[in-house]
């Protein structure tokens, strides 16, 4: 997404939990505890992935995007599709997105990442980040930091 910023990735925590499971220090019942609300959100608002579940290995995981923010009011805490997130990012100043992976077969669930979206990530008159050879080059990042420091 174009305005996605302050990304926090929880893949290291996920790997640590799976290592604990393999070592026998944690049981599958401790890890596979998705609530009925989360499973319904995955069915109706989730984005299917090509990743297999690390526990049952029989079903693909589904990503559910939950949104939180002051401007959302009653909509805070709801699951939204990626298409809805794009529309909200252009209309709201800032809101937090939490991505949870869910297996509908064995009830595995884990927080994958969180990030900020919204118009506050866009700046007037500055070029966007350009990708060169798979590496993002921050064009104008120094001027943006100076402008934010002046505010």
């Amino acid at each position: 997404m174009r305005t996605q910023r302050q990304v926090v990735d929880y893949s290291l925590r996920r790997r640590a939990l799976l290592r604990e499971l393999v070592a026998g220090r944690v049981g599958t019942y401790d890890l596979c505890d998705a609530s009925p609300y989360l499973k319904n959100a995955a069915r109706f608002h989730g984005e299917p992935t090509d990743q297999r579940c690390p526990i049952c290995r029989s079903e693909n995981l589904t990503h559910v995007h939950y949104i939180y923010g002051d401007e959302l009011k009653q909509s805070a805490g709801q699951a939204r599709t990626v298409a809805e997130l794009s529309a909200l990012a252009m209309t709201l100043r800032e809101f937090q997105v939490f991505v949870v992976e869910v297996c509908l077969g064995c009830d595995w669930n884990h927080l994958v990442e969180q990030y900020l979206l919204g118009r506050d990530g866009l700046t007037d008159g500055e070029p966007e980040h350009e990708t060169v050879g798979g590496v993002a080059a921050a064009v104008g990042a120094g001027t943006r930091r100076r402008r934010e420091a002046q505010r």
Side-chain angles (χ1 to χ4, degrees):
M1 228 166 257
R2 192 171 91 168
T3 61
Q4 186 174 340
R5 58 197 181 279
Q6 295 183 9
V7 178
V8 179
D9 184 25
Y10 291 96
S11 60
L12 292 175
R13 178 68 182 137
R14 179 182 189 264
R15 284 193 292 189
L17 279 175
L18 293 173
R19 266 196 313 271
E20 295 285 319
L21 177 70
V22 171
R25 291 187 285 263
V26 175
T28 55
Y29 292 113
D30 296 327
L31 299 179
C32 299
D33 60 351
S35 72
Y37 297 114
L38 179 58
K39 290 172 63 175
N40 279 337
R43 270 190 211 99
F44 298 112
H45 302 288
E47 303 288 330
T49 66
D50 293 333
Q51 284 184 313
R52 287 282 186 196
C53 173
I55 306 297
C56 69
R57 292 183 174 39
S58 64
E59 298 214 14
N60 288 347
L61 295 172
T62 304
H63 284 176
V64 182
H65 299 82
Y66 285 101
I67 57 172
Y68 293 91
D70 294 336
E71 286 184 274
L72 294 168
K73 296 184 174 104
Q74 298 90 352
S75 298
Q78 292 182 352
R80 298 295 177 113
T81 64
V82 173
E84 291 173 319
L85 291 178
S86 298
L88 283 172
M90 292 300 130
T91 58
L92 298 174
R93 287 186 57 229
E94 183 175 88
F95 61 96
Q96 188 83 27
V97 179
F98 291 86
V99 183
V100 179
E101 67 182 10
V102 181
C103 175
L104 295 172
C106 70
D107 296 346
W108 158 263
N109 63 92
H110 191 268
L111 179 63
V112 176
E113 69 178 351
Q114 74 181 57
Y115 52 87
L116 285 177
L117 280 180
R119 286 190 330 251
D120 278 357
L122 299 176
T123 54
D124 298 329
E126 285 188 22
E128 296 179 26
H129 296 316
E130 297 177 8
T131 304
V132 180
V135 178
V139 179
T143 57
R144 182 179 330 128
R145 284 190 205 107
R146 276 182 256 139
R147 285 183 191 162
E148 289 175 357
Q150 290 173 352
R151 290 182 191 166

